[in-house]
Amino acid sequence: VFDLVEAGVDLSGTAFAVPLRPAGTDSPSALAGRGEPRRADILPIFYFGVPNLNPYQLATGKTAGPLSDGKPFINNFLPITETATGDLYGGDMLRLNMAVPVTERDSEEFSDFARLGIIRAAAIGLTDTSFANTDLEFIPHMDGFPNGRRLEDDVTTIALQAVGGIVLAAVGLPYDGAVEADYSDLLSENFVSALNFVAGPTKNDLELPDGFPYLADPHNGYSYVKELTAMPPNAFVVGNEGGLGLGAPQGFILDQNYPNPFGTSTTVQYHVASPGAVRLEVFDIRGRLVSTLVDEARTEGTHAVNWNPAGLASGTYFYRLSVDGRTVSTKKAALVR
């Protein structure tokens, strides 16, 4: 942002020109601070919501870089409060949440993709040709986290993806490696990696009730881990032709072994997104390799292997999945004799 300022770029009419507080020393606004590059990303996403001002509009329709007008991303405007002394402050999340229309819960879009929240809204706005315009209109999941507080949203994954710059890339401030002015190469390797990130379980294990308090009754933590992570998450790309073609393949997933803790044997299941050389290794608590469960090529799909810990003592062990020499995930198992 300061390169733009020093270069004499006109920032009027953009979010960077709004004098929000707190603006630090040598900062034109709260969204642009010297030595604080992530302010332009983290502050609006988690405090103001993504404002309907460029550059925070989807890259759809942009023709002259990130500061040109594009597709409005959120059906609300940057909430600003002016005090009696003329100072300007950002609004609050409650007003933002109340201003965003709700996605219909009986729609397939909600049932299949609710967990993705605002990340899904960004993908739809870029890939669905019915939204290939610069009109202000409702996009499904704009009410998702962080703009809303839906119980179905995977808030941990969405928050980490937003911190990783997913939303910022979707509005035309792309990852390294995406350099085309028409945004035809937004799907960079780093962007796909961040888009595929999953922080844990990808769905609720039980249906949410229709009435207050909506949450299901709690139960023990061991009996349902396998079911939570057995299926890979849905892809992010929508099904129709056109748009920017933004999407990502389903990721590599390592399930929690089941049962766990275990005595004589346990099953480890994993999902491979594309063919590759798979290694599934077991280490003791000191990091010593004690068993290799898989060491061969595997085709795309879900696979399972039985682990019989013959000769091993009771204790904690770690099993690690690697594909083509790259570690995918490591999980912990408890052996009880």
Side-chain angles (χ1 to χ4, degrees):
V1 173
F2 274 93
D3 289 341
L4 295 174
V5 174
E6 293 169 359
V9 176
D10 184 9
L11 297 178
S12 59
T14 72
F16 291 151
V18 178
L20 301 174
R21 298 295 182 101
T25 305
D26 297 328
S27 298
S29 77
L31 300 181
R34 185 178 296 277
E36 298 175 320
R38 297 313 298 271
R39 262 186 162 185
D41 180 1
I42 305 305
L43 196 60
I45 290 175
F46 288 105
Y47 182 48
F48 307 113
V50 182
N52 184 26
L53 291 170
N54 62 56
Y56 301 105
Q57 292 174 330
L58 291 171
T60 300
K62 292 189 176 184
T63 57
L67 291 182
S68 61
D69 291 337
K71 172 76 173 177
F73 183 26
I74 297 298
N75 192 13
N76 72 281
F77 297 89
L78 187 66
I80 300 174
T81 300
E82 183 173 359
T83 68
T85 59
D87 293 327
L88 295 173
Y89 290 86
D92 59 75
M93 266 296 189
L94 178 60
R95 278 183 289 175
L96 175 63
N97 295 345
M98 297 298 291
V100 180
V102 176
T103 303
E104 292 297 330
R105 287 178 174 257
D106 59 357
S107 66
E108 289 187 8
E109 184 60 48
F110 185 87
S111 61
D112 292 345
F113 297 103
R115 72 176 189 84
L116 303 177
I118 201 172
I119 304 301
R120 173 65 178 174
I124 291 176
L126 288 172
T127 62
D128 190 336
T129 55
S130 62
F131 294 100
N133 57 66
T134 55
D135 299 334
L136 180 65
E137 57 185 326
F138 174 66
I139 301 175
H141 305 296
M142 290 191 297
D143 55 324
F145 181 81
N147 283 309
R149 293 296 182 271
R150 304 185 310 195
L151 293 176
E152 294 85 356
D153 292 345
D154 180 1
V155 296
T156 303
T157 296
I158 296 168
L160 292 174
Q161 286 176 322
V163 170
I166 288 288
V167 176
L168 211 58
V171 300
L173 298 173
Y175 277 67
D176 292 343
V179 297
E180 296 297 329
D182 62 356
Y183 299 114
S184 60
D185 61 345
L186 276 179
L187 196 61
S188 66
E189 182 179 352
N190 289 340
F191 184 71
V192 170
S193 176
L195 195 60
N196 272 322
F197 172 77
V198 176
T202 59
K203 66 178 181 179
N204 293 313
D205 59 314
L206 298 175
E207 293 295 327
L208 299 175
D210 294 330
F212 185 82
Y214 303 105
L215 294 174
D217 292 334
H219 49 77
N220 75 77
Y222 287 112
S223 62
Y224 65 99
V225 172
K226 182 179 180 181
E227 285 75 15
L228 284 177
T229 56
M231 295 300 294
N234 287 306
F236 290 79
V237 67
V238 294
N240 55 347
E241 300 286 337
L244 293 178
L246 178 63
Q250 294 177 341
F252 297 95
I253 299 175
L254 176 63
D255 290 351
Q256 183 66 50
N257 65 300
Y258 183 85
N260 185 44
F262 68 102
T264 56
S265 67
T266 186
T267 299
V268 178
Q269 184 168 282
Y270 57 94
H271 179 82
V272 179
S274 57
V278 173
R279 286 182 62 88
L280 185 58
E281 302 167 304
V282 180
F283 300 86
D284 64 16
I285 198 168
R286 296 183 178 180
R288 297 175 299 188
L289 178 65
V290 297
S291 180
T292 300
L293 304 180
V294 179
D295 186 13
E296 59 185 343
R298 283 286 191 263
T299 59
E300 176 182 352
T302 300
H303 305 271
V305 60
N306 182 263
W307 173 22
N308 186 342
L312 296 181
S314 297
T316 299
Y317 293 87
F318 299 89
Y319 56 99
R320 181 179 68 191
L321 176 66
S322 301
V323 179
D324 293 331
R326 298 173 60 183
T327 298
V328 172
S329 180
T330 301
K331 292 188 179 294
K332 182 169 61 176
L335 173 59
V336 179
R337 294 294 191 182

